Amino acid sequence: MNLCSLSRIRKLGTLVLFFGMSLSCFAQDALQTVVAEKGDGILSLLRKQGVDPYANYDNFIAMNVDNLRDSVHLYAGRTYRIPPADLDTVTVVDSIQRKTSEFKKIESREIPILGKKHSTVIIKSKRLAGTVYYLVSGHGGPDPGAMAKYGGKTIAEDEYAYDITLRLARELISHGAMVYVIIRDENDGIRDERILEIDHDEVAYLKKAIPLNQVKRLKQRVDIVNGLYERHRGMYQRLIVTHVDSRSVGQNIDVFFYHHEKSKNGKKLAESIHNTFQKNYKKYQPNRVYSGTFADRTSLYMVKKTHPAMTFIEVGNIRNKKDQNRILVPENREALAKWISEGVLLDYEGK
């Protein structure tokens, strides 16, 4: 071996050693810890650390699950591990050919309806590639749906159903699904506040004004969904309708699901999501009995008239204090969306 070759090997060894040390130091430096303060939630904590709260939400829970209340709530004064920030690309040196190559590339999509702060959706997988999902949040436009008081302010069903629907859309898109958000508010997007301000500017898909009359309003949604269903005939298609119930103040209810009595696929979808909620309650709230149900209810207009297999979800009683906590806390709305999406994946992959 000549001196020139020996020199090259020494330089290559130094480069590899340096690169390895750099990665090691990066991994050590990137793993941060932070003490949660009173009022912190997972989303706000990650955002304060300069980390995308939605791209890293699952990682944070996985890293800290034994230190969380009900899997989604922080304890003030406790220390939490923060996932390292994602890099778009990491360039490595090809020491022989002196070329660069991509070590990791994160695929993403821009979805404007999710809002300026949340429009970038990181694609986690292609598990739902080739599927079509229609998401309909209850009420909207001139009809706010069920209403209640919280902290002296009025809260409305349509705002919370819409926020959960957008979070669900984000999850489904992140797994490769084609998603139609049927009721839309171009100004709102995903919101991380407890009190979601009420407005009346929601429209139906393709900017159609929402009728005040209930039957006309529901027929409009059915016609839109069924029209899109015909356009995508032959593809795997499902419909998910999200509402917030209104009952007596003292009635605490769990999330429950309806389906068409004659739809085997609709029943399977509802059952898959229901089973996911049961599993997660057993895992994260073992001392609490989950009483949510799934059942046929063909009397509901959207259940009876729409063509895709579907489930109709009620996420809680807007007038009950415990259920209000489920929908007002943004981490809870995020968990609801993620658990529904887990059920959707279970349904599709078990088809």
Side-chain angles (χ1 to χ4, degrees), residues 16 52 80 113 121 156 201 228 254 272 278 285 297 331 343:
V16 172
D52 184 331
Y80 293 92
I113 195 66
V121 180
D201 60 349
L228 290 169
D254 276 321
S272 295
Q278 280 189 320
Q285 299 186 44
R297 192 173 174 185
E331 281 80 8

Side-chain angles (χ1 to χ4, degrees), residues 28 32 86 130 151 153 186 195 267 277:
Q28 292 175 14
Q32 305 174 51
D86 292 320
K153 300 203 71 173
E186 303 296 334
I195 302 297
K267 179 180 178 181
F277 272 70

Side-chain angles (χ1 to χ4, degrees), residues 271-289:
E271 186 175 14
S272 295
I273 303 174
H274 177 265
N275 288 344
T276 300
F277 272 70
Q278 280 189 320
K279 179 194 72 175
N280 284 327
Y281 267 86
K282 285 180 181 178
K283 180 178 180 180
Y284 298 122
Q285 299 186 44
N287 298 321
R288 183 185 183 284
V289 176

